[in-house]
Amino acid sequence: MKILHIGAECYPMAKVGGLGDVVGALPKYQVSMGVPCAVLLPMHRTFFLQQHQWDVVHKGKICIGNADLDFTVIKKSGNSVGFDLYCLDIFGLLDREKVYGYDDDYFRFLAFQVAALHWIASLEQPPDLLHLHDHHTGLMPFMIKYCFAFSQLKNISTLFTIHNASYQGIMDEEFRNLLPAFDDWKTGMLLWNNQINSLACAIKCADSVTTVSPGYLSELYNNSFGLEQLFHQEHQKCKGILNGIDDEVWNPATDRMIAVKYEQEIVDWGKYANKMHVCNTFGFDAELPLIVFIGRLVWEKAADLLSSAIQDAFRLFPEKFNCIVLGNGDASIEQDLTLINRDYHGFYRSQIKYDEAFSHQLYASADFLLMPSRTEPCGLNQLYAMRYGTIPIVRSIGGLKDTVVDISAKNGFGICFEQLSIQEIANGVGRAIELYGNNKQVTQIRKHMMNINHSWQKSANEYIDIYRSLISSS
Ligand code: GLC
């Protein structure tokens, strides 16, 4: 059984959000469990790309509409990432600094998918199954099934994982002419509401569909940005599998990105030592609870409410907590969060950037992690936080609901709220400040959370079970 994961991101080569973490960790665990896995992603021009050695393994040509494009597949030398890592380059299209955010993204990812299938078709021993991640790979199951050029790939099974259904890869219907030839009457499989919809197409054409938590799948039946009916139609092939975390990368006992390493027995001491480090940098009082937000500053994460919620909380609980926001995203949200730096000097600081190392330092230092998400397919940050003994303050939705239990329940360890509003977020902060006053309970919760096993082991096996059943029935 040979598996090829394909996605737009893969840590440590390229990461924008949790998708990168999953595509970088799941294959590693599967390889260690005896399943040969490789990963293919576009050749983004990242630091990692420049810092490592690569071998050219394939050169080919594709034709997209009127454009003749040369492509190259390179493979990372050595095995330091734990699986075979391949990148596909199309000169001028894929070798760019950002993973997404270009006007021609639709064309870039379409070309990537076509070139990827050409490469796979050229392999002497092609994979048995493609594990595809998010809409950037959503047209591949269709092309395998229906494009004449890829008829030899028909026996390859496809599993499509939805990390985020709010991005669907929508294009005008006329773009179907950019795909390799197929019978015209199959066009309907590409469409949803008279447009090409890569996500909908994947749900229709993939052999199996998963979401990154069971809770998220049940929400998608009622709210999936227009795809509700499709989820109902295809429910038999859909399953929710909770993401795991890479517990080698995320381990406070060995983490080289944090100031002071610590284990569960000495969590209070370890966290305080790390908090001192951060508080000294920002001129904060380390005796106060430190509440952090780490993530993309976008609507889905409810980052648009953060600035008002933080101000409300400071009005309600003045000088009772410190707060740091780390992330980047929408310019107006970045601006709102920067503007308030002046007003809460000594208690609040925004760090508008993507900074992997500093995020580790914050998980180690913070007492609480705030995640008020509007939608959260799984959420990894709450899991990282728990591993570092940091108490999550979350809106109970999607994967957050599946993984965080409120302190009011038996064995509860988090602070949860149901409705999303500025007031609810500020209330959550209030409950956190109150909890922080109870040292004994905080220590118990920290130790309990650090004991919960969220490693990939279990979920990686669930995927392997699906691979097996698809491959044996193909
Ligand atoms: C997306 C989702 C997030 C999930 C991650 C990995 O970034 O928004 O909830 O954890 O993908 O699956």
Side-chain angles (χ1 to χ4, degrees):
M1 166 158 82
K2 267 176 64 179
I3 311 299
L4 178 63
H5 288 266
I6 309 181
E9 306 173 31
C10 173
Y11 181 82
M13 163 67 190
K15 169 179 166 180
V16 178
L19 169 66
D21 282 342
V22 171
V23 181
L26 174 59
K28 192 166 106 177
Y29 279 76
Q30 292 176 329
V31 168
S32 74
M33 293 157 91
V35 177
C37 286
V39 172
L40 174 70
L41 79 161
M43 195 200 76
H44 310 294
R45 206 189 308 140
T46 62
F47 186 66
F48 184 89
L49 177 80
Q50 287 150 2
Q51 292 303 306
H52 290 83
Q53 291 256 316
W54 302 83
D55 303 311
V56 173
V57 293
H58 183 78
K59 278 179 173 292
K61 275 185 192 310
I62 51 167
C63 176
I64 308 278
N66 297 326
D68 285 318
L69 303 168
D70 292 320
F71 72 92
T72 308
V73 180
I74 57 174
K75 181 180 179 207
K76 189 183 161 295
S77 320
N79 188 23
S80 59
V81 288
F83 48 81
D84 290 341
L85 177 61
Y86 296 90
C87 293
L88 191 150
D89 181 32
I90 302 178
F91 180 69
L93 265 192
L94 299 180
D95 57 334
R96 298 189 194 165
E97 268 165 32
K98 285 192 296 177
V99 175
Y100 324 100
Y102 299 100
D103 289 344
D104 59 349
D105 274 357
Y106 75 93
F107 189 81
R108 300 172 67 227
F109 287 108
L110 199 146
F112 168 68
Q113 296 179 72
V114 174
L117 289 179
H118 268 280
W119 170 57
I120 294 166
S122 79
L123 295 172
E124 258 172 46
Q125 288 187 316
D128 301 294
L129 182 142
L130 303 185
H131 188 157
L132 307 167
H133 299 268
D134 268 355
H135 77 83
H136 317 95
T137 59
L139 300 176
M140 293 173 91
F142 173 90
M143 290 196 273
I144 290 178
K145 280 203 164 83
Y146 303 124
C147 289
F148 309 128
F150 302 127
S151 56
Q152 75 195 86
L153 302 180
K154 272 211 171 87
N155 289 333
I156 298 185
S157 308
T158 52
L159 187 163
F160 184 79
T161 295
I162 301 173
H163 296 260
N164 192 337
S166 45
Y167 299 102
Q168 302 186 350
I170 295 174
M171 290 171 251
D172 273 0
E173 189 188 335
E174 67 195 53
F175 288 132
R176 65 166 196 231
N177 300 323
L178 299 179
L179 294 180
F182 56 89
D183 282 324
D184 215 28
W185 56 272
K186 302 273 171 49
T187 304
M189 297 300 271
L190 290 169
L191 306 180
W192 193 254
N193 288 335
N194 303 319
Q195 286 180 304
I196 296 182
N197 183 315
S198 308
L199 189 76
C201 175
I203 298 168
K204 293 182 201 179
C205 299
D207 299 316
S208 180
V209 174
T210 61
T211 61
V212 289
S213 71
Y216 186 52
L217 178 59
S218 51
E219 285 165 13
L220 289 175
Y221 289 115
N222 299 320
N223 178 12
S224 46
F225 312 93
L227 303 184
E228 299 77 13
Q229 194 198 333
L230 180 60
F231 275 103
H232 282 285
Q233 266 165 32
E234 301 288 352
H235 75 275
Q236 268 168 335
K237 61 165 135 159
C238 297
K239 185 171 187 209
I241 300 180
L242 193 67
N243 280 337
I245 61 172
D246 186 333
D247 55 7
E248 285 174 11
V249 173
W250 299 96
N251 181 358
T254 55
D255 193 335
R256 275 189 259 143
M257 295 187 233
I258 65 179
V260 181
K261 300 185 184 58
Y262 59 96
E263 295 191 357
Q264 191 205 26
E265 296 80 60
I266 52 163
V267 55
D268 289 338
W269 172 85
K271 289 193 70 65
Y272 189 73
N274 280 291
K275 184 160 79 162
M276 284 281 281
H277 190 78
V278 167
C279 287
N280 285 342
T281 314
F282 294 109
F284 291 174
D285 174 2
E287 297 309 314
L288 296 180
L290 174 61
I291 302 178
V292 299
F293 174 96
I294 302 170
R296 285 174 295 130
L297 301 177
V298 293
W299 182 88
E300 295 147 66
K301 305 285 174 196
D304 52 316
L305 305 182
L306 269 185
S307 157
S308 306
I310 292 169
Q311 293 182 73
D312 253 27
F314 276 123
R315 261 193 298 274
L316 290 165
F317 317 105
E319 309 197 352
K320 288 273 171 35
F321 68 102
N322 294 318
C323 178
I324 295 175
V325 173
L326 170 66
N328 56 12
D330 292 352
S332 68
I333 302 179
E334 292 181 353
Q335 205 180 11
D336 288 350
L337 287 162
T338 308
L339 271 176
I340 58 173
N341 274 323
R342 229 185 12 219
D343 302 337
Y344 302 101
H345 186 75
F347 295 92
Y348 165 82
R349 188 65 77 87
S350 66
Q351 295 286 289
I352 305 298
K353 57 181 175 178
Y354 167 83
D355 186 335
E356 192 70 17
F358 188 50
S359 79
H360 283 243
Q361 181 60 40
L362 283 185
Y363 288 114
S365 313
D367 299 296
F368 299 93
L369 173 86
L370 178 61
M371 280 182 86
S373 307
R374 267 204 183 80
T375 110
E376 196 58 84
C378 174
L380 296 171
N381 292 3
Q382 81 279 17
L383 305 180
Y384 298 148
M386 284 149 67
R387 179 102 166 111
Y388 285 69
T390 304
I391 301 173
I393 308 172
V394 304
R395 168 155 185 246
S396 289
I397 186 134
L400 293 172
K401 195 170 181 169
D402 288 352
T403 54
V404 182
V405 182
D406 190 85
I407 43 170
S408 59
K410 188 162 174 261
N411 289 331
F413 49 82
I415 292 176
C416 305
F417 53 94
E418 297 283 328
Q419 300 304 323
L420 179 61
S421 69
I422 290 166
Q423 205 186 351
E424 288 288 337
I425 302 174
N427 281 346
V429 171
R431 288 185 70 202
I433 296 169
E434 196 188 324
L435 173 62
Y436 187 76
N438 185 340
N439 292 339
K440 210 170 137 210
Q441 196 181 358
V442 168
T443 307
Q444 255 169 16
I445 290 178
R446 285 175 174 168
K447 291 191 173 169
H448 172 70
M449 290 189 304
M450 289 177 80
N451 245 342
I452 304 175
N453 183 357
H454 274 294
S455 112
W456 265 111
Q457 210 75 27
K458 178 167 170 283
S459 306
N461 257 321
E462 287 189 56
Y463 281 115
I464 293 171
D465 286 345
I466 303 184
Y467 300 162
R468 285 216 175 91
S469 72
L470 292 179
I471 293 170
S472 65
S473 61
S474 73

